[in-house]
Amino acid sequence: MRILANDGLVDEAVKYLKKEGFTVETEKRDEDDLISEIGSFDALLVRSATKVTRMVMEAGVRNGGRLKIVGRGGVGTDNIDLEAAKELGIIVKFAPNGNTNATAEHALGLMFAIARRVPFAHHTLMNGVWHKKRFGGVELFGKTLGIIGCGRIGQALAAKAGALGMKVIGFDMYRSIDAPLEYVDTIPELLQRSDFVSLHCGGCEVVIGEEELKIMKDTAFLVNASRGMNVSEDALYNALKTGAIAGAALDCYESEPKREGMPFECRLRELDNIVLSAHLGASTRNAGIRTGMEIAEVVTGYLRRGEFNNSVNVGQTVDDEGADVYTIFITHEDTPGMFGKFGTAMGELGVNIRESNSRRLGDHVQTVYIVHTQPGEAVREALNAIDGVSRVSF
């Protein structure tokens, strides 16, 4: 099987995939080349640079095309047409864990940078001028950090901030019982109580706009290492300009340059109470290796064993589909044609098979079917009547 890593892949992940028997190519294709060649690949691996459009995926399955899976190194799948993938029978998986620590550390670093005004002090010294009184800052110890979006990254940041002596509160639609923070019921409550607010919610919606900035303390700092669209830059500019909040630190923006070295146009650059970084949250060697290995492993799991873990456009488990499921356990001989006989017997009785797993058990095989129809005695009798079956239970 062939795999195209169109946005590159760390050497460790390439070696792993080759060891698993895959042919791996890492030379980047532009959109036209990608469309013309993608049908000859079984998997397409991308980061954020490659746009996996409907046209790309249609080319991947057209005329017997082999494309089966798209793997996204990282969390966001904004650059992949998930609806088209679902329609075309292409599984989309992501690697959400590799970047977790790096992004949480970067958010914490941005908090330190804006609270202690480190970039500004650095800049004046690099220009040969000594300033000390200008750059008095505030400590993180004893302050309240409000985290909006308490998933993997939010919880990792909460643990780090708690270790520094911060009080951590959080808002999320889903509440984890193990999260190292105190949940609050609304975003306004979080904004009213927080000295620092950090966003880790993803999506394209504005979470912090004019009204939210009015609720924040005038001594508070805003940090966004999530998605640029989560913060209204016009509203933030006005809030920083008028002193409605004390400062902000951003790693992502409403509009970002497409390539290295391109101009960065953003009027927030005019201000002296904001710290900016160029979407560096996941940009560490460690995160690159972890993410590359994670996406290599989950893609291998699908292509080799049909595993659906880390899938974004289908349920990772049968239970995720929301329908009632039942199990049928069959002990039988390991001979050709057994599964066909089981399928025929259950199909004739109206039993819809969703999934099956099978392993050798001594001289026999133990097969477990997951079905959407509650089995009864008629099913047991039909399966037991098949030559080679020694036991049926459910």
Side-chain angles (χ1 to χ4, degrees), residues 252-301:
C252 44
Y253 309 90
E254 291 178 344
S255 177
E256 298 181 3
K258 302 299 182 184
R259 294 185 300 276
E260 290 284 304
M262 291 182 66
F264 174 58
E265 303 294 340
C266 180
R267 67 172 180 155
L268 292 170
R269 295 168 48 224
E270 304 169 8
L271 305 173
D272 61 3
N273 55 348
I274 188 168
V275 173
L276 308 176
S277 63
H279 217 135
L280 301 178
S283 298
T284 70
R285 172 66 177 164
N286 311 67
I289 293 173
R290 285 193 297 264
T291 299
M293 287 301 299
E294 184 179 10
I295 197 61
E297 289 169 356
V298 299
V299 167
T300 296

Side-chain angles (χ1 to χ4, degrees), residues 81-278:
D81 190 329
L82 298 180
E83 193 59 36
K86 187 182 296 184
E87 292 174 14
L88 296 167
I90 298 171
I91 298 300
V92 178
K93 291 194 175 193
F94 67 168
N97 300 302
N99 299 338
T100 298
N101 184 71
T103 306
E105 281 191 4
H106 193 63
L108 186 60
L110 290 173
M111 289 167 58
F112 275 118
I114 189 62
R116 299 303 301 268
R117 300 179 61 78
V118 174
F120 313 110
H122 169 81
H123 180 72
T124 58
L125 287 178
M126 291 297 287
N127 287 328
V129 182
W130 181 274
H131 280 293
K132 186 173 181 179
K133 292 182 180 179
R134 280 179 59 188
F135 300 122
V138 299
E139 298 181 19
L140 272 60
F141 178 83
K143 301 298 191 300
T144 296
L145 167 63
I147 298 175
I148 301 177
C150 304
R152 287 174 293 268
I153 296 171
Q155 290 185 42
L157 175 60
K160 298 177 191 301
L164 293 172
M166 300 188 80
K167 177 178 176 57
V168 186
I169 60 177
F171 174 83
D172 200 299
M173 298 302 292
Y174 170 76
R175 298 188 175 192
S176 170
I177 60 172
D178 299 319
L181 51 84
E182 171 199 338
Y183 283 104
V184 297
D185 294 329
T186 65
I187 290 178
E189 179 185 353
L190 180 142
L191 298 175
Q192 289 170 349
R193 294 175 54 183
S194 298
D195 301 297
F196 292 82
V197 175
S198 190
L199 303 184
H200 301 282
C201 38
C204 299
E205 299 81 15
V206 173
V207 178
I208 301 296
E210 182 178 355
E211 294 305 313
E212 288 76 21
L213 289 162
K214 288 179 180 178
I215 297 172
M216 293 175 64
K217 301 177 182 179
D218 60 8
T219 55
F221 298 90
L222 175 68
V223 176
N224 185 17
S226 181
R227 291 288 183 272
M229 300 303 293
N230 291 160
V231 175
S232 166
E233 291 181 7
D234 285 340
L236 179 60
Y237 179 90
N238 293 331
L240 293 171
K241 189 82 171 176
T242 61
I245 64 172
L250 305 182
D251 187 48
C252 44
Y253 309 90
E254 291 178 344
S255 177
E256 298 181 3
K258 302 299 182 184
R259 294 185 300 276
E260 290 284 304
M262 291 182 66
F264 174 58
E265 303 294 340
C266 180
R267 67 172 180 155
L268 292 170
R269 295 168 48 224
E270 304 169 8
L271 305 173
D272 61 3
N273 55 348
I274 188 168
V275 173
L276 308 176
S277 63

